[in-house]
Amino acid sequence: MQPFQLLETALGASAVSFERRVRNRITLPLVLLAGLSFAASNARAAPIELRFGAGYAQGELLSKPIEKFADLIKEKSKGEISPRVFYQSLGTEQQLTQSVMSGTVDIGELANGNASRFTNAFLVYDLPFLFKKYDNLISSLDSEPGRKVIAQFEKDLGVKYLFAISNAVGRDVQTRAKSLKTPADIKGLKIRVVSSPIDLATFKAWGANPAPVDTSQVYSATQQGVVDGVQFPLTFLLTSKLYEVVKYSISIEYQAATELVFMNAKKFTSLSPAHQAVLLDAAKETQAWGIIAARELAEKAVKEMAAHGLVIHKPTPEEYNQWAAVREKVWEEVAKQQSGKIDLELARAIYAQQP
């Protein structure tokens, strides 16, 4: 005979009914508690989604580090963070930056030359002939002057700076129909520039007619003759296929451009310390990876550009000095125009610390 049958025989049905009610009152909360625990466990397991906005097409030089960064975050977080990268689908760089600032997008990128629409912090980095070689730009961001610039950038935009994307080489000048050797050759030409008062002043000092055009519209603007030339690193020409619409390039590396990758500050601080560490570690590794990848691409770009028919002119020291002669003039001019916005002492400190 089963225990409840024995109990019913000995005590009657009322006692058994009472025991069953007691058992149910104990068991039901335990079942509910187990269910809540299971739901909480599932909630903890749900990955944190981060929306990445890339301003360039997938596979281009300036998008590859974003993809690498996303992969490293997923790997290092063991899937606890799930990045989603949107390529050229969240607007121009400026629109993307505004979205990150408002929090509708978590992570974005912006050329330092276009940052002047939001902050004065990187104006000093736009100064022509500030860096003696390109790699000095990336290393300067880890120096005391660089950290000062980054802190101002973060404060003005409400973001967390993560890393810089290397181009490996500085900005050169490319033209559709006219070969350039000295500044005399550029006079009167309409050249696409970034939206920076310094880029505008630099090309005006050479006698050109500078015209700001968003990166996403450069190919069509050049193809249609809206502009006579552009100013990009050779690496960008290769990945964007701009070599299809320009014929000449002069290697002066007048400006060391980079892409700044950053995150909405509130979103970053909302993450756990462990997840914040994952992002910063992935950012550091991505930047190092990007420097090597960009150098390899730069070597490839020179060879492939020649194969595509681009005529690259390497100026003689005398020719180069004519281009660089505007350095002090432009520095002083824009510092006066942008009173209180460009710290020439900081610029000279960046220049002086370079080997």
Side-chain angles (χ1 to χ4, degrees), residues 8 10 17 27 44 78 125 144 154 200 207 223 232 289 298 311 338:
E8 186 176 1
S17 177
T27 304
R44 285 195 299 272
K78 295 180 171 41
Y125 273 69
E144 185 178 344
E154 291 179 327
L200 291 167
Q223 184 182 47
F232 285 106
W289 174 89
V311 179
Q338 307 292 320

Side-chain angles (χ1 to χ4, degrees), residues 124-125 130-131 140 145-146 149 345-354:
V124 68
Y125 273 69
L130 174 65
F131 295 101
S140 78
V149 169
E345 287 188 13
L346 180 64
R348 292 192 170 101
I350 292 173
Y351 188 81
Q353 71 181 7
Q354 298 173 56

Side-chain angles (χ1 to χ4, degrees), residues 167-246:
N167 280 300
V169 289
R171 289 186 185 275
D172 295 327
V173 182
Q174 295 84 29
T175 47
R176 297 174 67 243
K178 184 178 181 180
S179 175
L180 306 180
K181 292 185 177 180
T182 69
D185 300 321
I186 203 173
K187 290 187 185 299
L189 295 186
K190 191 174 184 178
I191 307 295
R192 175 270 175 183
V193 297
V194 295
S195 183
S196 161
I198 297 172
D199 230 17
L200 291 167
T202 301
F203 279 84
K204 284 180 180 178
W206 286 328
N209 180 17
V213 178
D214 191 82
T215 307
S216 62
Q217 301 167 341
V218 164
Y219 188 99
S220 60
T222 309
Q223 184 182 47
Q224 295 165 16
V226 175
V227 294
D228 299 309
V230 296
Q231 32 61 279
F232 285 106
L234 279 183
T235 47
F236 183 76
L237 258 69
L238 178 62
T239 57
S240 65
K241 296 188 176 181
L242 269 173
Y243 55 79
E244 295 175 345
V245 292
V246 294

